[in-house]
Amino acid sequence: MPEQPSSPRRVSGPLVFIGVAVFAAIAALAVVALLVNIFERKQEARNPFYRVVELTDDTDDPAIWGKNFPLQYDGYKRTVDQVRTRYGGSEAVPRTPTNADPRSVVAQSRLEADPRLKIMWAGYAFSKDFREERGHAYMLEDQMFTERQQVTKQPGACIHCHASVYVPYKKMGNGDLMKGFEQMNHLPYVEARKHVTHPVACIDCHDPSTMQLRVTRPGFLEGIRALKASQGTPDYDPNTMATRQEMRAFVCGQCHVEYYFQGPEKRLVYPWAKGIRIENILDYYDEVKQSDWVHAETGAGVLKAQHPEFEMWNQGIHARSGVTCPDCHMPYMRSGALKISDHHVRSPVLNINRACQTCHHWPEEELKARVEVIQDRVFALRNRAMDALIALITDIKAARGAGKPDADLDLPRGLQRRAQFMLDFVEAENSTGFHAPEEAERILAESIDFARQGQLALRGVAVPGIKTDQVTRPEVSRPAARQP
């Protein structure tokens, strides 16, 4: 008989039970492990740092803060990097240290790259030394040893944006920040320098007990109060009235702004009482009759723009879209379960993946090319504005040398003042127009026009719409700009 196939063996009931039990146990352990992991990560997020040391409102040494925040401190220390982009950053230039300047490395000279700057700033300290900006780590050192310190007596007001001043101001004012600010303003720089130790530090932007952002620079506190008052909001205090996203711009805007030194006491003032656009600032300077120096070649009372990144950013598409400085220059990064701001403050072009691609879903090469196209165009227009200004300065100098009376030079000098400040506003703003491309190009176009109108005025050609006593153009209707 053919052999019958054997029937499949059935698994006995106890073995099935044991298998199910083992599987259930393994699944339960996996679920428990997952829940424990989630709980641990939530606890880490709730307590994002280990309190190794106690921080007080007098702890200004960033290395001490770094014991509690090692990741942020590691980024902060990396601001010593010198990596150049096409129009920004600085390359290390070796130099031989001297007794007056012990630095063995400096940033490249902008004056050597473009000698026309010496003519624009003739008679002013910037015509002697002006270099590319280095990172925050060098902000105090480079201010101390610039050759500008040798050719003029800079005031202690310069310390306001080149050092960690919150604690020194409080100590000098016996606990009163504003009084300390007032006292340090009029000290000679070398005396004020003795009161500060660190470049910008953690305490300048963070409350040590809550880590919340805060504004500590008196110049900004007064400036933003004046600006908001001009918009109908009196007694504005950013530390109690600003949103968190506004604060993310304000903490950088404490220093990256236009300013001037008022009166013989050299009081630092942000010129925002009439508004934050360049025309508002010029109107303010005209009203208070502010001139930073008399131009050595033309005799014009002129102005030196500082670093108006905050003002220019406010006119751009990123500001209108609610994107602030840290979103691009200190983008969020992941380290394990932690999400922190990258304190390696640098150009977004050097960090496109996290700085740009969060919002702009295009290849890095495409985004970098877009940035450089904008900057190329602004820089080309900047060069044309520079040529126009130098031509005007040359003509005024020649007319002055030929004995033309001052009364006939008043209007050309006034036009030089306006053309020069508008050009310098874009020149000193460290994005080469990227923060607000249309605004930068508009300002440069007006600078060119003012310079050419000045040349016409020298030749006796009537300049339509230009007033001798107040060098302004007729009002042009423009859409309202976003204000902070």
Side-chain angles (χ1 to χ4, degrees):
M1 291 182 61
E3 189 174 331
Q4 297 292 326
S6 59
S7 59
R9 297 178 60 190
R10 293 185 178 180
V11 180
S12 63
L15 290 177
V16 172
F17 177 78
I18 291 172
V20 171
V22 170
F23 177 80
I26 293 173
L29 286 173
V31 170
V32 169
L34 178 61
L35 292 174
V36 168
N37 184 268
I38 292 173
F39 177 77
E40 289 176 347
R41 295 298 178 264
K42 285 186 175 181
Q43 290 302 110
E44 288 178 5
R46 189 172 300 160
N47 301 292
F49 67 95
Y50 293 103
R51 197 177 296 275
V52 178
V53 295
E54 289 297 322
L55 301 174
T56 72
D57 208 38
D58 295 318
T59 308
D60 62 352
D61 186 350
I64 296 177
W65 287 65
K67 295 179 185 297
N68 288 351
F69 304 97
L71 298 174
Q72 289 88 340
Y73 184 57
D74 285 347
Y76 169 86
K77 290 190 295 182
R78 292 186 65 191
T79 61
V80 297
D81 290 354
Q82 294 189 82
V83 181
R84 182 163 182 79
T85 62
R86 182 178 294 188
Y87 291 107
S90 58
E91 294 173 337
V93 178
R95 69 176 300 277
T96 302
T98 65
N99 291 333
D101 184 352
R103 294 176 298 173
S104 59
V105 171
V106 294
Q108 56 191 338
S109 171
R110 296 274 291 276
L111 298 177
E112 293 175 6
D114 189 348
R116 293 174 297 178
L117 293 169
K118 295 180 182 180
I119 299 173
M120 180 166 77
W121 295 325
Y124 199 57
F126 271 78
S127 67
K128 302 300 182 183
D129 186 23
F130 176 53
R131 296 180 178 274
E132 292 281 5
E133 297 77 12
R134 295 203 288 175
H136 284 166
Y138 296 109
M139 61 194 297
L140 183 55
E141 177 181 301
D142 287 353
Q143 177 70 14
M144 180 67 185
F145 295 116
T146 174
E147 290 180 38
R148 296 195 295 273
Q149 294 284 5
Q150 315 305 321
V151 299
T152 189
K153 293 181 179 180
Q154 293 193 326
C158 294
I159 290 287
H160 184 270
C161 290
H162 282 271
S164 181
V165 293
Y166 177 69
V167 173
Y169 280 167
K170 287 200 307 174
K171 288 181 179 178
M172 188 169 283
N174 293 320
D176 189 316
L177 184 73
M178 299 304 294
K179 285 184 179 179
F181 164 68
E182 298 275 5
Q183 291 182 33
M184 194 177 290
N185 269 322
H186 60 76
L187 289 178
Y189 181 88
V190 292
E191 292 299 318
R193 176 63 180 82
K194 297 175 183 177
H195 294 273
V196 300
T197 307
H198 306 285
V200 64
C202 318
I203 199 168
D204 296 297
C205 303
H206 293 280
D207 184 295
S209 58
T210 65
M211 301 304 128
Q212 292 297 312
L213 295 173
R214 66 176 179 178
V215 174
T216 58
R217 293 294 198 270
F220 186 90
L221 291 169
E222 291 186 339
I224 199 73
R225 186 184 306 125
L227 175 61
K228 291 293 187 178
S230 73
Q231 299 168 356
T233 303
D235 302 320
Y236 182 79
D237 178 6
N239 289 318
T240 59
M241 301 169 72
T243 66
R244 183 177 184 277
Q245 191 68 353
E246 286 175 325
M247 288 298 287
R248 283 166 60 81
F250 290 171
V251 292
C252 300
Q254 294 185 92
C255 292
H256 290 266
V257 291
E258 165 64 8
Y259 64 85
Y260 77 106
F261 300 146
Q262 186 182 69
E265 68 279 7
K266 301 297 183 183
R267 193 184 192 288
L268 181 72
V269 176
Y270 292 5
W272 297 345
K274 290 180 173 293
I276 206 168
R277 293 184 62 166
I278 188 170
E279 284 83 5
N280 304 138
I281 294 170
L282 270 168
D283 288 347
Y284 172 88
Y285 282 148
D286 288 344
E287 183 175 292
V288 300
K289 295 179 171 53
Q290 169 66 21
S291 291
D292 292 325
W293 86 102
V294 175
H295 196 275
E297 296 187 359
T298 67
V302 285
L303 299 159
K304 173 70 188 77
Q306 304 306 325
H307 25 67
E309 287 85 34
F310 182 72
E311 292 90 342
M312 189 71 83
W313 163 82
N314 262 283
Q315 311 308 317
I317 186 61
H318 286 97
R320 288 181 175 272
S321 302
V323 178
T324 59
C325 320
D327 292 319
C328 303
H329 295 275
M330 301 174 63
Y332 287 119
M333 59 184 288
R334 285 281 182 184
S335 180
L338 297 180
K339 176 184 176 183
I340 66 171
S341 289
D342 184 355
H343 281 62
H344 181 193
V345 185
R346 52 183 164 157
S347 167
V349 176
L350 301 174
N351 193 17
I352 290 175
N353 175 254
R354 285 193 278 110
C356 308
Q357 288 182 314
T358 301
C359 298
H360 303 285
H361 305 300
W362 297 92
E364 288 195 23
E365 296 78 9
E366 165 69 14
L367 294 175
K368 183 179 180 183
R370 291 186 187 185
V371 172
E372 291 181 345
V373 164
I374 290 171
Q375 292 182 321
D376 285 347
R377 290 171 177 170
V378 171
F379 192 71
L381 197 56
R382 171 261 189 201
N383 280 331
R384 296 179 72 173
M386 186 70 75
D387 285 340
L389 176 66
I390 299 305
L392 174 59
I393 290 172
T394 301
D395 286 354
I396 297 176
K397 180 181 177 181
R400 193 183 184 197
K404 198 160 191 170
D406 283 342
D408 293 340
L409 295 177
D410 284 345
L411 180 55
R413 284 169 172 164
L415 288 161
Q416 177 199 341
R417 167 188 170 91
R418 204 162 184 87
Q420 182 161 325
F421 184 70
M422 297 186 102
L423 167 58
D424 204 10
F425 201 82
V426 177
E427 173 71 20
E429 202 274 331
N430 285 301
S431 74
T432 315
F434 185 77
H435 286 147
E438 296 89 348
E439 178 71 354
E441 290 166 356
R442 180 190 71 81
I443 291 170
L444 290 172
E446 297 225 1
S447 172
I448 294 170
D449 184 48
F450 281 123
R452 298 310 186 194
Q453 297 283 18
Q455 289 183 284
L456 291 174
L458 275 172
R459 289 158 174 77
V461 178
V463 182
I466 299 293
K467 302 176 183 177
T468 303
D469 58 338
Q470 184 181 17
V471 184
T472 57
R473 297 299 303 268
E475 283 299 315
V476 178
S477 178
R478 299 189 180 97
R482 178 188 181 275
Q483 299 284 10

